Amino acid sequence: MMLVQSPNVSVQPSTTTINEDEHLVIGGIDTVELAEKFGTPLWIMDEQTILDSIKAFKEGLAGYPNHQILYAGKAFLCTAICHLIKKQGLGLDVVSPGELATARAAGFPAEIIFMHGNNKSAAEIEEGLALGNVNIVIDNESELLMVAEIAQRLGKMVRVFLRVIPGVEPDTHVHIVTGHAESKFGFALEALIPLVQRIQSFDGALQLVGLHAHIGSQSHDLEPYFEISEILADCYKELLDSFQIELPELDIGGGLGIAYTDADKPTSIYEWAKKTSEQVAKSFKQRGLALPKLLVEPGRTIVGTAGVTLYRAGHKKRLPSGVTYLAVDGGMADNPRPITYDAKYTACIANRMRAPIPDKPLGLVGKFCESGDIIIKESYLSAETGDLIAVFGTGAYNLSMASNYNRTPRPACVLVAGGKADIIVERETNEDLLKLDRVPDRLR
Ligand SMILES: Cc1ncc(COP(=O)(O)O)c(C=O)c1O
């Protein structure tokens, strides 16, 4: 078997090359042509990199008998991506009615849709169940009661998972940690036994399929996953001893990181999938438990490295303090990660890939009205007004977190493959922004 390189260890998409014009080429297409044809800012998604990431997960998990990869749609979802994920045989995590509607639009099979979130409404749960036998990941006790009531009213047996807080923290930004004791997501481990008793009291309305834990996002290490394997195996053993039930499935979440800069050294997708699944098998076997079907929920690692944002450089200025800023035609509205998490990125000059590297850095800044709208604080680019700037690693949590701040239409997104570019999300227009506005008569 030919092993693929796991894209998450590289800053650039798998298909990245430079052509004879010294232009950046992705998916077989000159990015300068992409900018001319589709305008800037532009999100580019490289299909091959997404496929390589999926392949790396599949190969890493191949040694574990029964498993399913669920793509965490919050990283980036649109109907085309849903189709691509479905074609690859992946399941889908959704966390909102909009993500569920996208899954429905793509004809996603209900049995491999997992509904997450800490505040699902009754309407949302009913919408999901209307699609078929979706899986509901229960976050809290009042949600448990709500789902049980709906199941009883509809006369359905609903597949549920319980999200637990394992008390494990990956080494990542505090806003993207979710496995720590004070997390807003999930149940404390001590609540498990009474919860299962509660589920049993609903006379078969709820089928408890498994436990779920997700420790957080952009974790580079394996240790937190080894720890949660042990903790969750302890829980399965406790449930076996207390209720004589062996839960058939186990969902260990996502959260593996990608390289945004050369300084980032995340565990590769392949190694993560292989070592984590081996640890799960070991933890369960050591306790004399049958191996559950293993579910993993990657988001960032599937689409992150595939994404590149193209910007056009505008005004450049040098302050008396010596700092130089180059402003581009996008920023925090299309990529809120730097201002939210102090996220780091790598950029290049897409139309002059062999431009000299300057001694002094410049600040690559956005055009939005916040001082924190800085894409890269110190970027070693000899870029000038009019250059095309490509920022790597923008496939995850960019388009999905984008806003219309400063009343700015969101950019278009193209999927590139084999020298062809297809629009998968159209560019918004000012008309799109205006069409939802209403003016009360008294103001006219
Ligand atoms: C429950 C759950 N699963 C999966 C993910 C995907 O995480 P990542 O994109 O870091 O792989 C998230 C992200 O926050 C999550 O909350």
Side-chain angles (χ1 to χ4, degrees), residues 359-381:
D359 300 334
K360 282 198 174 164
L362 56 75
L364 193 65
V365 299
K367 60 175 284 186
F368 296 92
C369 299
E370 293 282 330
S371 298
D373 179 25
I374 294 175
I375 301 169
I376 302 175
K377 206 169 174 189
E378 292 197 334
S379 187
Y380 285 83
L381 297 177

PDB file of all heavy atoms in Angstrom, residues 359-381:
ATOM      1  N   ASP A 359      15.265  41.952   4.621  1.00  0.00           N
ATOM      2  CA  ASP A 359      15.854  41.814   5.964  1.00  0.00           C
ATOM      3  C   ASP A 359      14.839  42.149   7.040  1.00  0.00           C
ATOM      4  O   ASP A 359      14.865  41.598   8.127  1.00  0.00           O
ATOM      5  CB  ASP A 359      17.041  42.791   6.140  1.00  0.00           C
ATOM      6  CG  ASP A 359      18.120  42.519   5.133  1.00  0.00           C
ATOM      7  OD1 ASP A 359      18.196  41.359   4.679  1.00  0.00           O
ATOM      8  OD2 ASP A 359      18.859  43.466   4.777  1.00  0.00           O
ATOM      9  N   LYS A 360      13.971  43.119   6.690  1.00  0.00           N
ATOM     10  CA  LYS A 360      13.023  43.585   7.709  1.00  0.00           C
ATOM     11  C   LYS A 360      11.625  43.099   7.375  1.00  0.00           C
ATOM     12  O   LYS A 360      11.226  43.108   6.210  1.00  0.00           O
ATOM     13  CB  LYS A 360      13.022  45.112   7.738  1.00  0.00           C
ATOM     14  CG  LYS A 360      14.187  45.693   8.459  1.00  0.00           C
ATOM     15  CD  LYS A 360      13.897  47.133   8.813  1.00  0.00           C
ATOM     16  CE  LYS A 360      15.009  47.695   9.662  1.00  0.00           C
ATOM     17  NZ  LYS A 360      14.962  49.130   9.703  1.00  0.00           N
ATOM     18  N   PRO A 361      10.864  42.751   8.414  1.00  0.00           N
ATOM     19  CA  PRO A 361       9.507  42.277   8.143  1.00  0.00           C
ATOM     20  C   PRO A 361       8.548  43.433   7.909  1.00  0.00           C
ATOM     21  O   PRO A 361       8.845  44.580   8.269  1.00  0.00           O
ATOM     22  CB  PRO A 361       9.139  41.565   9.448  1.00  0.00           C
ATOM     23  CG  PRO A 361       9.907  42.296  10.493  1.00  0.00           C
ATOM     24  CD  PRO A 361      11.175  42.736   9.851  1.00  0.00           C
ATOM     25  N   LEU A 362       7.427  43.127   7.312  1.00  0.00           N
ATOM     26  CA  LEU A 362       6.335  44.112   7.265  1.00  0.00           C
ATOM     27  C   LEU A 362       5.110  43.495   7.932  1.00  0.00           C
ATOM     28  O   LEU A 362       4.992  42.269   8.022  1.00  0.00           O
ATOM     29  CB  LEU A 362       6.048  44.573   5.837  1.00  0.00           C
ATOM     30  CG  LEU A 362       5.700  43.601   4.725  1.00  0.00           C
ATOM     31  CD1 LEU A 362       4.289  43.074   4.847  1.00  0.00           C
ATOM     32  CD2 LEU A 362       5.843  44.311   3.389  1.00  0.00           C
ATOM     33  N   GLY A 363       4.237  44.355   8.381  1.00  0.00           N
ATOM     34  CA  GLY A 363       2.982  43.884   8.969  1.00  0.00           C
ATOM     35  C   GLY A 363       1.950  43.759   7.867  1.00  0.00           C
ATOM     36  O   GLY A 363       1.658  44.734   7.167  1.00  0.00           O
ATOM     37  N   LEU A 364       1.458  42.540   7.674  1.00  0.00           N
ATOM     38  CA  LEU A 364       0.424  42.321   6.658  1.00  0.00           C
ATOM     39  C   LEU A 364      -0.916  42.519   7.350  1.00  0.00           C
ATOM     40  O   LEU A 364      -1.289  41.730   8.225  1.00  0.00           O
ATOM     41  CB  LEU A 364       0.559  40.888   6.126  1.00  0.00           C
ATOM     42  CG  LEU A 364      -0.214  40.555   4.859  1.00  0.00           C
ATOM     43  CD1 LEU A 364       0.318  41.356   3.679  1.00  0.00           C
ATOM     44  CD2 LEU A 364      -0.109  39.062   4.567  1.00  0.00           C
ATOM     45  N   VAL A 365      -1.585  43.609   6.992  1.00  0.00           N
ATOM     46  CA  VAL A 365      -2.784  43.961   7.759  1.00  0.00           C
ATOM     47  C   VAL A 365      -4.026  43.938   6.886  1.00  0.00           C
ATOM     48  O   VAL A 365      -3.968  44.082   5.665  1.00  0.00           O
ATOM     49  CB  VAL A 365      -2.640  45.355   8.425  1.00  0.00           C
ATOM     50  CG1 VAL A 365      -1.462  45.354   9.399  1.00  0.00           C
ATOM     51  CG2 VAL A 365      -2.502  46.465   7.399  1.00  0.00           C
ATOM     52  N   GLY A 366      -5.176  43.780   7.550  1.00  0.00           N
ATOM     53  CA  GLY A 366      -6.449  43.801   6.854  1.00  0.00           C
ATOM     54  C   GLY A 366      -6.951  45.223   6.693  1.00  0.00           C
ATOM     55  O   GLY A 366      -6.324  46.189   7.139  1.00  0.00           O
ATOM     56  N   LYS A 367      -8.132  45.340   6.071  1.00  0.00           N
ATOM     57  CA  LYS A 367      -8.678  46.665   5.774  1.00  0.00           C
ATOM     58  C   LYS A 367      -9.815  47.050   6.718  1.00  0.00           C
ATOM     59  O   LYS A 367     -10.502  48.041   6.507  1.00  0.00           O
ATOM     60  CB  LYS A 367      -9.180  46.694   4.324  1.00  0.00           C
ATOM     61  CG  LYS A 367     -10.275  45.689   4.040  1.00  0.00           C
ATOM     62  CD  LYS A 367     -10.836  45.830   2.647  1.00  0.00           C
ATOM     63  CE  LYS A 367     -11.760  47.042   2.596  1.00  0.00           C
ATOM     64  NZ  LYS A 367     -12.440  47.164   1.311  1.00  0.00           N
ATOM     65  N   PHE A 368     -10.009  46.252   7.769  1.00  0.00           N
ATOM     66  CA  PHE A 368     -11.185  46.474   8.618  1.00  0.00           C
ATOM     67  C   PHE A 368     -10.867  47.388   9.799  1.00  0.00           C
ATOM     68  O   PHE A 368      -9.700  47.527  10.188  1.00  0.00           O
ATOM     69  CB  PHE A 368     -11.760  45.129   9.082  1.00  0.00           C
ATOM     70  CG  PHE A 368     -12.270  44.335   7.918  1.00  0.00           C
ATOM     71  CD1 PHE A 368     -11.453  43.431   7.264  1.00  0.00           C
ATOM     72  CD2 PHE A 368     -13.549  44.550   7.430  1.00  0.00           C
ATOM     73  CE1 PHE A 368     -11.906  42.733   6.151  1.00  0.00           C
ATOM     74  CE2 PHE A 368     -14.001  43.870   6.317  1.00  0.00           C
ATOM     75  CZ  PHE A 368     -13.176  42.951   5.679  1.00  0.00           C
ATOM     76  N   CYS A 369     -11.901  47.982  10.360  1.00  0.00           N
ATOM     77  CA  CYS A 369     -11.704  49.046  11.347  1.00  0.00           C
ATOM     78  C   CYS A 369     -11.469  48.513  12.753  1.00  0.00           C
ATOM     79  O   CYS A 369     -12.270  48.765  13.665  1.00  0.00           O
ATOM     80  CB  CYS A 369     -12.901  49.992  11.308  1.00  0.00           C
ATOM     81  SG  CYS A 369     -13.047  50.754   9.701  1.00  0.00           S
ATOM     82  N   GLU A 370     -10.442  47.751  12.922  1.00  0.00           N
ATOM     83  CA  GLU A 370      -9.994  47.262  14.229  1.00  0.00           C
ATOM     84  C   GLU A 370      -8.469  47.238  14.176  1.00  0.00           C
ATOM     85  O   GLU A 370      -7.898  46.719  13.209  1.00  0.00           O
ATOM     86  CB  GLU A 370     -10.451  45.811  14.469  1.00  0.00           C
ATOM     87  CG  GLU A 370     -11.928  45.592  14.620  1.00  0.00           C
ATOM     88  CD  GLU A 370     -12.450  45.974  15.994  1.00  0.00           C
ATOM     89  OE1 GLU A 370     -11.688  45.864  16.962  1.00  0.00           O
ATOM     90  OE2 GLU A 370     -13.619  46.388  16.072  1.00  0.00           O
ATOM     91  N   SER A 371      -7.836  47.758  15.213  1.00  0.00           N
ATOM     92  CA  SER A 371      -6.359  47.728  15.228  1.00  0.00           C
ATOM     93  C   SER A 371      -5.834  46.303  15.227  1.00  0.00           C
ATOM     94  O   SER A 371      -4.729  46.027  14.780  1.00  0.00           O
ATOM     95  CB  SER A 371      -5.821  48.431  16.468  1.00  0.00           C
ATOM     96  OG  SER A 371      -6.219  49.769  16.431  1.00  0.00           O
ATOM     97  N   GLY A 372      -6.629  45.394  15.762  1.00  0.00           N
ATOM     98  CA  GLY A 372      -6.204  43.990  15.819  1.00  0.00           C
ATOM     99  C   GLY A 372      -6.364  43.247  14.507  1.00  0.00           C
ATOM    100  O   GLY A 372      -6.066  42.045  14.430  1.00  0.00           O
ATOM    101  N   ASP A 373      -6.821  43.930  13.470  1.00  0.00           N
ATOM    102  CA  ASP A 373      -7.018  43.260  12.173  1.00  0.00           C
ATOM    103  C   ASP A 373      -5.672  43.130  11.461  1.00  0.00           C
ATOM    104  O   ASP A 373      -5.385  43.831  10.487  1.00  0.00           O
ATOM    105  CB  ASP A 373      -8.021  44.057  11.335  1.00  0.00           C
ATOM    106  CG  ASP A 373      -8.237  43.418   9.969  1.00  0.00           C
ATOM    107  OD1 ASP A 373      -8.018  42.194   9.845  1.00  0.00           O
ATOM    108  OD2 ASP A 373      -8.611  44.144   9.027  1.00  0.00           O
ATOM    109  N   ILE A 374      -4.857  42.254  12.008  1.00  0.00           N
ATOM    110  CA  ILE A 374      -3.502  42.024  11.474  1.00  0.00           C
ATOM    111  C   ILE A 374      -3.411  40.557  11.073  1.00  0.00           C
ATOM    112  O   ILE A 374      -3.602  39.673  11.907  1.00  0.00           O
ATOM    113  CB  ILE A 374      -2.448  42.373  12.550  1.00  0.00           C
ATOM    114  CG1 ILE A 374      -2.518  43.876  12.828  1.00  0.00           C
ATOM    115  CG2 ILE A 374      -1.046  41.937  12.120  1.00  0.00           C
ATOM    116  CD1 ILE A 374      -1.633  44.354  13.942  1.00  0.00           C
ATOM    117  N   ILE A 375      -3.155  40.312   9.815  1.00  0.00           N
ATOM    118  CA  ILE A 375      -3.130  38.915   9.346  1.00  0.00           C
ATOM    119  C   ILE A 375      -1.818  38.252   9.759  1.00  0.00           C
ATOM    120  O   ILE A 375      -1.823  37.156  10.302  1.00  0.00           O
ATOM    121  CB  ILE A 375      -3.340  38.855   7.814  1.00  0.00           C
ATOM    122  CG1 ILE A 375      -4.693  39.496   7.457  1.00  0.00           C
ATOM    123  CG2 ILE A 375      -3.290  37.408   7.315  1.00  0.00           C
ATOM    124  CD1 ILE A 375      -4.899  39.725   5.982  1.00  0.00           C
ATOM    125  N   ILE A 376      -0.709  38.928   9.487  1.00  0.00           N
ATOM    126  CA  ILE A 376       0.595  38.419   9.941  1.00  0.00           C
ATOM    127  C   ILE A 376       1.386  39.619  10.471  1.00  0.00           C
ATOM    128  O   ILE A 376       1.637  40.580   9.738  1.00  0.00           O
ATOM    129  CB  ILE A 376       1.376  37.726   8.797  1.00  0.00           C
ATOM    130  CG1 ILE A 376       0.558  36.561   8.215  1.00  0.00           C
ATOM    131  CG2 ILE A 376       2.727  37.214   9.323  1.00  0.00           C
ATOM    132  CD1 ILE A 376       1.201  35.892   7.015  1.00  0.00           C
ATOM    133  N   LYS A 377       1.742  39.545  11.740  1.00  0.00           N
ATOM    134  CA  LYS A 377       2.387  40.696  12.386  1.00  0.00           C
ATOM    135  C   LYS A 377       3.755  40.995  11.766  1.00  0.00           C
ATOM    136  O   LYS A 377       4.083  42.129  11.468  1.00  0.00           O
ATOM    137  CB  LYS A 377       2.554  40.375  13.873  1.00  0.00           C
ATOM    138  CG  LYS A 377       2.613  41.578  14.732  1.00  0.00           C
ATOM    139  CD  LYS A 377       2.496  41.174  16.176  1.00  0.00           C
ATOM    140  CE  LYS A 377       2.701  42.401  17.040  1.00  0.00           C
ATOM    141  NZ  LYS A 377       2.804  42.054  18.426  1.00  0.00           N
ATOM    142  N   GLU A 378       4.536  39.935  11.557  1.00  0.00           N
ATOM    143  CA  GLU A 378       5.861  40.127  10.963  1.00  0.00           C
ATOM    144  C   GLU A 378       6.024  39.166   9.806  1.00  0.00           C
ATOM    145  O   GLU A 378       6.272  37.984  10.006  1.00  0.00           O
ATOM    146  CB  GLU A 378       6.950  39.867  12.009  1.00  0.00           C
ATOM    147  CG  GLU A 378       6.969  40.902  13.094  1.00  0.00           C
ATOM    148  CD  GLU A 378       8.269  40.893  13.867  1.00  0.00           C
ATOM    149  OE1 GLU A 378       8.923  39.830  13.905  1.00  0.00           O
ATOM    150  OE2 GLU A 378       8.629  41.943  14.420  1.00  0.00           O
ATOM    151  N   SER A 379       5.837  39.688   8.608  1.00  0.00           N
ATOM    152  CA  SER A 379       5.900  38.836   7.428  1.00  0.00           C
ATOM    153  C   SER A 379       7.107  39.259   6.589  1.00  0.00           C
ATOM    154  O   SER A 379       7.235  40.439   6.251  1.00  0.00           O
ATOM    155  CB  SER A 379       4.595  39.017   6.642  1.00  0.00           C
ATOM    156  OG  SER A 379       4.553  38.108   5.603  1.00  0.00           O
ATOM    157  N   TYR A 380       7.972  38.319   6.251  1.00  0.00           N
ATOM    158  CA  TYR A 380       9.174  38.658   5.482  1.00  0.00           C
ATOM    159  C   TYR A 380       8.856  38.561   3.991  1.00  0.00           C
ATOM    160  O   TYR A 380       9.202  37.598   3.319  1.00  0.00           O
ATOM    161  CB  TYR A 380      10.340  37.755   5.888  1.00  0.00           C
ATOM    162  CG  TYR A 380      10.899  38.178   7.233  1.00  0.00           C
ATOM    163  CD1 TYR A 380      10.303  37.746   8.417  1.00  0.00           C
ATOM    164  CD2 TYR A 380      11.973  39.061   7.312  1.00  0.00           C
ATOM    165  CE1 TYR A 380      10.790  38.162   9.647  1.00  0.00           C
ATOM    166  CE2 TYR A 380      12.468  39.490   8.538  1.00  0.00           C
ATOM    167  CZ  TYR A 380      11.872  39.045   9.706  1.00  0.00           C
ATOM    168  OH  TYR A 380      12.326  39.474  10.921  1.00  0.00           O
ATOM    169  N   LEU A 381       8.145  39.575   3.495  1.00  0.00           N
ATOM    170  CA  LEU A 381       7.756  39.636   2.087  1.00  0.00           C
ATOM    171  C   LEU A 381       8.195  40.971   1.512  1.00  0.00           C
ATOM    172  O   LEU A 381       7.949  42.015   2.123  1.00  0.00           O
ATOM    173  CB  LEU A 381       6.229  39.546   1.947  1.00  0.00           C
ATOM    174  CG  LEU A 381       5.513  38.276   2.403  1.00  0.00           C
ATOM    175  CD1 LEU A 381       4.005  38.447   2.242  1.00  0.00           C
ATOM    176  CD2 LEU A 381       5.997  37.077   1.602  1.00  0.00           C
TER     177      LEU A 381
END
